[in-house]
Amino acid sequence: MPKYVYLFKEGDASMRNLLGGKGANLAEMTNIGMPVPQGFTVTTEACTRYYADGKTIAPEIEEEIYQALAATEKEYGKKFGDLENPFLVSVRSGSRASMPGMMDTILNLGLNDVAVEGMARLTNNERFAYDSYRRFIQMFSDVVMEVDKGLFHNALEDVKREKGTTQDTDLDAQDLKEVVRRYKEIYRNAKGEEFPQDPKMQLMEAIKAVFRSWDNPRAIYYRRMNDIPGDWGTAVNVQGMVFGNMGDDCGTGVAFTRNPSTGENKLYGEYLMNAQGEDVVAGIRTPHPMADMETDMPELYKQFMEYANTLEKHYRDMQDMEFTIERGKLYMLQTRNGKRTAAAAVKIAVDLVGEGMLSEEEAVLKVEPKQLETLLHPNFDTAELKKATSFATGLPASPGAGAGGLYFTAHEAAAAGKQGKDVILVREETTPEDIEGMDYAKAILTARGGMTSHAAVVARGMGRPAVVGCGALHIDEVKKTLTVNGQVFHEGDPVSVDGTTGHVYSGLIPTVEASVSGDFGRLMAWADAARTLKVRTNADTPRDTAQAVEFGAEGIGLCRTEHMFFEADRVKAMREMILSDSAEQRRAALAKILPFQQKDFEEMYKALEGRPMTVRYLDPPLHEFLPQKSMVNEIAEIASELGTTSEKIVQKIDELHEFNPMMGHRGCRLSVTYPEIAEMQTRAVLQAALKVRKETGMAVVPEIMIPLVGSKKELKYVKDIVMETAEKIFAEQGEKIDFLVGTMIEIPRACVTADEIAEEAEFFSFGTNDLTQMGFGFSRDDAGKFLDSYYTSKILESDPFARLDVDGIGKLVETAVTLGKKGRPNIKLGICGEHGGDPSTIEFCHKVGLNYVSCSPYRVPIARLAAAHAAIKEKQAK
Amino acid sequence: MPKYVYLFKEGDASMRNLLGGKGANLAEMTNIGMPVPQGFTVTTEACTRYYADGKTIAPEIEEEIYQALAATEKEYGKKFGDLENPFLVSVRSGSRASMPGMMDTILNLGLNDVAVEGMARLTNNERFAYDSYRRFIQMFSDVVMEVDKGLFHNALEDVKREKGTTQDTDLDAQDLKEVVRRYKEIYRNAKGEEFPQDPKMQLMEAIKAVFRSWDNPRAIYYRRMNDIPGDWGTAVNVQGMVFGNMGDDCGTGVAFTRNPSTGENKLYGEYLMNAQGEDVVAGIRTPHPMADMETDMPELYKQFMEYANTLEKHYRDMQDMEFTIERGKLYMLQTRNGKRTAAAAVKIAVDLVGEGMLSEEEAVLKVEPKQLETLLHPNFDTAELKKATSFATGLPASPGAGAGGLYFTAHEAAAAGKQGKDVILVREETTPEDIEGMDYAKAILTARGGMTSHAAVVARGMGRPAVVGCGALHIDEVKKTLTVNGQVFHEGDPVSVDGTTGHVYSGLIPTVEASVSGDFGRLMAWADAARTLKVRTNADTPRDTAQAVEFGAEGIGLCRTEHMFFEADRVKAMREMILSDSAEQRRAALAKILPFQQKDFEEMYKALEGRPMTVRYLDPPLHEFLPQKSMVNEIAEIASELGTTSEKIVQKIDELHEFNPMMGHRGCRLSVTYPEIAEMQTRAVLQAALKVRKETGMAVVPEIMIPLVGSKKELKYVKDIVMETAEKIFAEQGEKIDFLVGTMIEIPRACVTADEIAEEAEFFSFGTNDLTQMGFGFSRDDAGKFLDSYYTSKILESDPFARLDVDGIGKLVETAVTLGKKGRPNIKLGICGEHGGDPSTIEFCHKVGLNYVSCSPYRVPIARLAAAHAAIKEKQAK
């Protein structure tokens, strides 16, 4: 039988999967002699078992919990529910991956009508005891028993009104006893029974509540966003309470061994005297910087610094620590590798190598690829910024710049964001419920809270710019107004938020590219040395190409040629082609596009400076080049431009209408019906290549990619057109150039017949967007309507369009890889779907043996780093 | 090196794949001593080689042909192009499968300016010689050299006009010499060189033309319709000419050893004196029945009957023979297993068992499953037929009844048929070019031709009703009128054609079910004994169910429940549900549908009499239950019916709009978002089952099928709803019933994760329609627009929605079968897509080890027979 409960002194840091991050670190701190309030951890396996057993805790696990409790009580010399020396505990979640704020916590557990008296006596502070008790009743009722917390709020307000005050602090012990009485009544009315007086029963219910909170909607959303599997489960840490709020020789704080925003090697944090830990994090009172502690309590500060240094060296990483001072004694409540901004992550990783704490490869692993996104994101244009006047300033909690329309609730922000609007979320302070709205926001702005408030921590984690604690803001959530010094903003009004400086501006300030530091270059060089996957980019313009090359792209993996047909000067000819009645007319129309398209390719070849370019032939259905039927004026305009009638155009729109255009007449199917399109594109690709090579002497490496292929014959049909056209061009010009012809693998049938297709294809590039669409039968444009139900019912854990579904679509990819290599052993394999920039997908690509991934220019560094992670982890696993 | 050319005497019947059907039979007839004009066969491998070599005949094959030619000349004692004794040959195609009329034939090859003189001398008939020569020039120029045949027609008309006649027969030898002169001039003008005088060059070009004709559009269409692979190629038979048109002691005919329409064991056929073979088939002159020959030429008749009997016994099948009488001597030109109607096929097969010629299993193989379709198709309602007056009568060439609108060209008939119209094709006479129009026609009607004319042969093969040689018809193809005794019909006018009696009626006569004969029952019993695959039916109504049971269905493999929501009395409640804002409202609306749906299931269980029924849960997207946005009046009506506003309905229509509904919110995705749908359907299925079992004591076997599943978790989610609801029902009723829960496999992702899905699914039913859609990425509703290009470019050989694409989609099915058995070794496997009634797909299903196929009621006998074929062929192959 597995062991489901571990005393802190029984565990260590290596047991993270079983004990969760928090539990493993409490055990490790205990082992290295830190002053940790003792307790025990109920394992993640107990959580999994809880769900498997139909949301019940098996008797043998209950028994183990009671044994651990008894051992802990003995250590403290205290007893649950004791009048003399009552034992109180905190009950906290702690999963394998850090999920700050996502799950539930219960403090002061163990209080009941007897223990509260014991506590009053022991602390000689009746008010403190009853304040703790009423807080516990409210928290337990809300979190564990699901009693509406508004009822408690109202009862407290009633008592304050009766007393004639608005401040909690004006209530004395007697008032708080009355509050406790009313709270217990509320509980009795809601649950039909007395508030539980048995601390063991309290404990068991609290543990269950933490297990349950693993599956609350915000936790599910967080996991999906952070690729955390739903079957990991959470551990539960039961820890003896120490009190930072027993008087002025008590306090609590949070500190980082280095600056989590910049990476600077200097202690960074905040503390509050006479407060509980939640007060610091919740941002209700504004805390002191840690520097004040050095002046005010030099001994304690020195002691804390020793612990901090020990922990950082022990974990070989920047630590995020919680501590409490109870009557002058320092306790370490928690440590973990600290969340940090991308810039900080890079600096810390590079510094730790310099300090001899990490190897280069270990340093590479210290930076999460996804994080880089912030580093690479634009900041406000300095010139424009100089012209702007800030109307408010807060704490610069998460760096970067964001501009958009104001929204006052997370829900509305998310809704607007889903419609593609740029959104700024403004809140009094944020709560874990706001997470989806924060995710959709370009920047986050709050009126309250400090640098370690919820908004600040989450925004940094997400890479969203944030300004917090901006006290000048007066927010009316109901009227949807933001008033600052008499200036009133309404929902949707444009504002710009600079998370690097803390300034907030009205209007939309243009942004410019980020410049990356020397540390970044050093880290990326280590990453490049470690990785085996090549990284290309998806780019359709010379500008994007140049940007991607600067970011380290090793070629273009996907040049979509659609835009080359859509631009104003070409779409007319394209429409002529579509309205043609014969191949000759079509050819004549396409001939007008050829010079433009050839010019585009010439510029891109030049920007690539000898790197290869994969050109995908025309893919979208032709109806996309015509207006919608209801756009009568546009149709009339086009008709007059092309010298035809609106009727003829409408007739063609009708002809081109499809019920399921995604599975319709597009991709290589266009070239099967209109071979002249492939002819023209082949001319553009190869004539441009010959010309650039001649003009510049550069190597030019064209790779022609036929999209949406489902069978070998289909590919061969289009390839034959390409090869015949190429022969003609080479004969005309008296000169040849090497090029490849390959295909997108994006149709399930192509995966299962990839051996045959590889006989014709010199490379495969996985188009995992379409493969996901066809493989799941999920229309990307429509699936949004039901995917939310799929997340809440836990059928899906992540958006398969953002993160490759390795278990299903991944099998199709693997099949195609295996068969493709069978058909052509030296076949070149890549991926060019949106997934190409997703780190977990990149890890999969590395494992199945692709040669390269291709992603948008801004994701190139992310992909380089992710590819390095995959290679290093593989090496470490060996 | 393979041998590419075989003299007739070198081959035999077993060499069909190499020599083609015609070549193998000519060889076989030679071997058993029939009077066959000798010659040689160029193999199908030579054809394949021709295409592989870029449409050229390799020198070594050319050499073999010349050697065979020399051997044949020696046998005849004649020489190509000889003035004394010129050797003439026919050049005919002949592939492995019979493709009548699809490919090209050239007669009288070898004629040139010298040989024509030799022939005139030899036959003492200069007119005959020059008539043959001008026919040969025209045929060779048209078929081999692609000179416009209209030019020759005009030249002939010119000569007749100059002579002052309209009849070919009025032209004498001098006139025909002039025609030859002008023909050669036409050739010279068109090709820039003289008409080829070298018979060897003529021969080589003719052989190439036959090879080319393997890939003409009508041959491709025919192959697609008949599942003949494109890589088989055709053989070419070069045979010494004998002449049925040398005088009145000459003739030619076509005969069947039994009646190909009824199967009656009596010689059946037609002949013409002083005619060439093509004259009989083309239907230009009306021939004599074979019975006349017994009277007119008793000796020859007796001899012919001997040959016919020998051939039938030799081939153990009804024979279709061509013969020619040259100057009183009988030659057998060809024999083959005769095409026959389904009724004839059944009767002949059963008779041959009775006559001891075939075993029962051999007899089963003699009837093509697809053919049965005609047998099972409706005939006109006798009562209605009595009231109708026929306006014309022709030869009853192909049995069955068809009614629809008149169309005058194959092209227009096909176009109208593609639009879903019922179409009757009326033609002066049909030609091979008409094949697609004939395929789309409900019946075919011609003014000319006999029982073995093109229209008659092809219609019988297709199972289309046809009336031919209906002389009263006056057709004006340009004006699009059909005039019969002053009565005028226009395009689209309704007519009814009875192919069993030869009568044609105006208006649409209702049809009734076919009744099947005792022979049919006997044959099907042999088939049932041989097969291992079970055959179920797709049925949604008690009537269809009863029909299917009568046709031998062993259960329902697919009961679509859509109709149970669409019917007028239910759709209102369905719309209420769709417009609901909460699960409670939805549940209330669904509760109104429950009694109807339960009643439907009760009736179907009763009709099934203990056989199992697979019920598929609601599948279509919800927008299908609302009118289109443009249907303003309907929307207003529904709004007032439901007590809501048009705006609300329009808003919902907008909400439900999808870009790709086929990959949208449908199938099990509906039950994930609205679990109450699955709850209601589970109640309907199980409450009906309990009730019918109680009332009738019958066994009731419900199988609940969750559609469009892509992952195990998705199935489990819906299955959990089903199981919980079932538990509730069983508790309410105090009674249980066994049932299965399984899934459609129709999503590619489901195929590759079938091992996991099988852990939850008790059965798989392959939904190959959707699997083909998603697997190919072909929208069934849209693919028609480009599939034609796919057929003509030979990327696809058959419609993947009609015949399962075994090479691609079949791989997905095989993967799912293998993985499914891994996940649940005793899993039940079936198919319920449209393919379930397609014989070649059924053969595949047998091979991969499915337990059953399910198809529409009328296809049940076809499926039973096809399943027997698959089993017998497998046994024979062992």
Side-chain angles (χ1 to χ4, degrees), chain B residues 188-202:
Chain B
R188 186 167 54 241
N189 289 339
K191 306 299 292 183
E193 57 186 26
E194 292 298 328
F195 184 80
Q197 292 294 314
D198 175 3
K200 285 186 172 179
M201 182 275 202
Q202 291 174 0

Side-chain angles (χ1 to χ4, degrees), chain A residues 562 565-566 571 574 577-578 616-627 652-653 655-671 673-674 677 707-708 770 773 781, chain B residues 659-660 782 785-786:
Chain A
E562 284 77 276
F565 290 94
F566 272 116
V571 73
M574 191 62 188
M577 190 214 82
I578 294 170
R616 180 177 73 182
Y617 278 15
L618 189 67
D619 189 53
L622 296 183
H623 73 79
E624 292 192 7
F625 295 92
L626 293 178
K652 180 56 78 170
I653 293 172
E655 256 176 65
L656 292 179
H657 172 264
E658 293 181 314
F659 295 97
N660 298 286
M662 199 54 81
M663 302 196 289
H665 194 186
R666 51 178 284 248
C668 67
R669 299 163 196 176
L670 294 171
S671 291
T673 45
Y674 307 124
I677 298 177
L708 216 71
D770 268 318
Q773 292 203 95
D781 297 321
Chain B
F659 295 95
N660 298 285
D782 304 308
K785 288 184 188 160
F786 53 84

Side-chain angles (χ1 to χ4, degrees), chain A residues 662-663 666 669 708-711 714 744-755 757 766-778 808-809 811-813 815-816 819, chain B residues 663 746-752 770-778 805 807-813 815:
Chain A
M662 199 54 81
M663 302 196 289
R666 51 178 284 248
R669 299 163 196 176
L708 216 71
V709 160
S711 73
E714 197 178 24
M744 297 270 281
I745 298 287
E746 51 189 336
I747 293 284
R749 191 186 187 282
C751 294
V752 296
T753 60
D755 45 349
I757 292 174
F766 288 94
T768 47
N769 299 352
D770 268 318
L771 193 58
T772 299
Q773 292 203 95
M774 313 289 180
F776 270 98
F778 282 172
I809 306 306
K811 289 225 175 75
L812 287 169
V813 171
T815 302
L819 292 178
Chain B
M663 302 196 290
E746 50 189 337
I747 294 284
R749 193 187 185 282
C751 294
V752 295
D770 268 317
L771 194 57
T772 299
Q773 291 203 96
M774 313 290 180
F776 270 98
F778 283 171
D805 159 50
D807 298 334
I809 307 306
K811 289 225 174 77
L812 286 169
V813 171
T815 301

Side-chain angles (χ1 to χ4, degrees), chain A residues 102-409:
Chain A
M102 292 303 112
M103 291 178 295
D104 290 329
T105 287
I106 301 106
L107 302 179
N108 298 328
L109 188 138
L111 279 176
N112 59 14
D113 295 350
V114 176
V116 70
E117 285 296 321
M119 198 174 164
R121 259 187 250 173
L122 205 68
T123 61
N124 205 12
N125 189 341
E126 194 174 28
R127 187 192 180 283
F128 165 68
Y130 276 92
D131 191 44
S132 298
Y133 193 25
R134 69 102 186 161
R135 284 172 193 263
F136 170 62
I137 295 173
Q138 177 176 343
M139 193 182 277
F140 187 87
S141 303
D142 165 25
V143 170
V144 178
M145 306 309 283
E146 292 166 357
V147 180
D148 179 5
K149 64 180 163 190
L151 299 171
F152 297 99
H153 178 76
N154 293 344
L156 184 63
E157 293 300 311
D158 287 349
V159 173
K160 286 195 284 186
R161 204 176 42 250
E162 288 159 21
K163 172 99 180 180
T165 181
T166 60
Q167 297 296 314
D168 292 9
T169 44
D170 288 343
L171 299 181
D172 61 19
Q174 284 313 309
D175 299 329
L176 290 166
K177 282 187 185 172
E178 174 59 18
V179 172
V180 164
R181 197 192 59 74
R182 294 193 189 184
Y183 275 16
K184 290 201 291 183
E185 192 175 302
I186 290 169
Y187 185 93
R188 187 166 51 242
N189 291 338
K191 308 298 291 184
E193 56 185 28
E194 291 298 329
F195 183 79
Q197 292 293 315
D198 176 2
K200 286 187 171 179
M201 182 273 201
Q202 291 174 359
L203 178 63
M204 213 50 69
E205 290 303 321
I207 290 171
K208 282 191 230 167
V210 173
F211 284 162
R212 273 201 309 274
S213 73
W214 173 252
D215 259 353
N216 71 37
R218 65 176 191 271
I220 291 174
Y221 185 83
Y222 187 93
R223 287 203 293 272
R224 180 147 52 84
M225 224 174 53
N226 290 280
D227 297 339
I228 299 171
D231 58 8
W232 278 3
T234 183
V236 182
N237 299 293
V238 179
Q239 188 173 22
M241 285 293 296
V242 286
F243 294 94
N245 54 349
M246 268 190 189
D248 292 339
D249 57 350
C250 301
T252 188
V254 175
F256 296 81
T257 54
R258 297 175 191 230
N259 185 313
S261 191
T262 64
E264 194 191 0
N265 186 1
K266 192 176 160 196
L267 189 74
Y268 175 97
E270 297 162 323
Y271 69 100
L272 273 173
M273 296 312 284
N274 200 9
Q276 273 202 331
E278 304 307 302
D279 300 333
V280 183
V281 179
I284 291 166
R285 282 161 57 193
T286 300
H288 305 284
M290 285 300 284
D292 292 359
M293 195 176 172
E294 191 171 7
T295 325
D296 296 349
M297 298 176 275
E299 266 311 305
L300 279 176
Y301 182 75
K302 198 181 138 212
Q303 200 180 356
F304 181 79
M305 282 306 292
E306 261 169 42
Y307 293 154
N309 286 332
T310 305
L311 286 171
E312 186 177 275
K313 288 218 173 62
H314 187 74
Y315 285 106
R316 301 193 302 147
D317 201 351
M318 183 262 268
Q319 293 300 297
D320 165 6
M321 302 155 296
E322 284 181 25
F323 61 93
T324 286
I325 304 161
E326 190 187 68
R327 296 191 166 161
K329 175 166 166 46
L330 177 65
Y331 289 95
M332 299 300 286
L333 297 192
Q334 172 172 334
T335 193
R336 61 186 173 196
N337 292 344
K339 300 249 172 214
R340 63 205 77 177
T341 64
V346 171
K347 179 169 167 48
I348 292 169
V350 173
D351 285 353
L352 290 176
V353 173
E355 294 162 28
M357 266 195 261
L358 294 181
S359 74
E360 288 171 1
E361 291 200 341
E362 284 167 339
V364 166
L365 290 183
K366 285 290 175 196
V367 182
E368 268 310 311
K370 269 196 174 173
Q371 266 197 312
L372 291 187
E373 211 145 5
T374 14
L375 261 197
L376 308 164
H377 271 309
N379 286 301
F380 289 129
D381 182 311
T382 326
E384 297 285 337
L385 203 59
K386 272 183 192 159
K387 292 184 227 158
T389 314
S390 138
F391 67 82
T393 302
L395 301 174
S398 181
L406 270 187
Y407 287 85
F408 290 86
T409 68

Side-chain angles (χ1 to χ4, degrees), chain B residues 130-138 156 168 179-180 183:
Chain B
Y130 276 93
D131 191 42
S132 300
Y133 193 25
R134 69 102 188 161
R135 284 172 192 262
F136 169 63
I137 295 172
Q138 178 177 341
L156 184 64
D168 291 9
V179 171
V180 164
Y183 275 15

Side-chain angles (χ1 to χ4, degrees), chain B residues 429-463:
Chain B
E429 53 189 323
T430 61
T431 66
E433 276 84 7
D434 292 340
I435 189 154
E436 197 188 4
M438 296 173 78
D439 189 25
Y440 273 101
K442 293 288 166 193
I444 295 147
L445 178 60
T446 69
R448 289 205 268 170
M451 290 295 280
T452 51
S453 67
H454 178 265
V457 171
V458 173
R460 280 199 296 270
M462 284 179 172

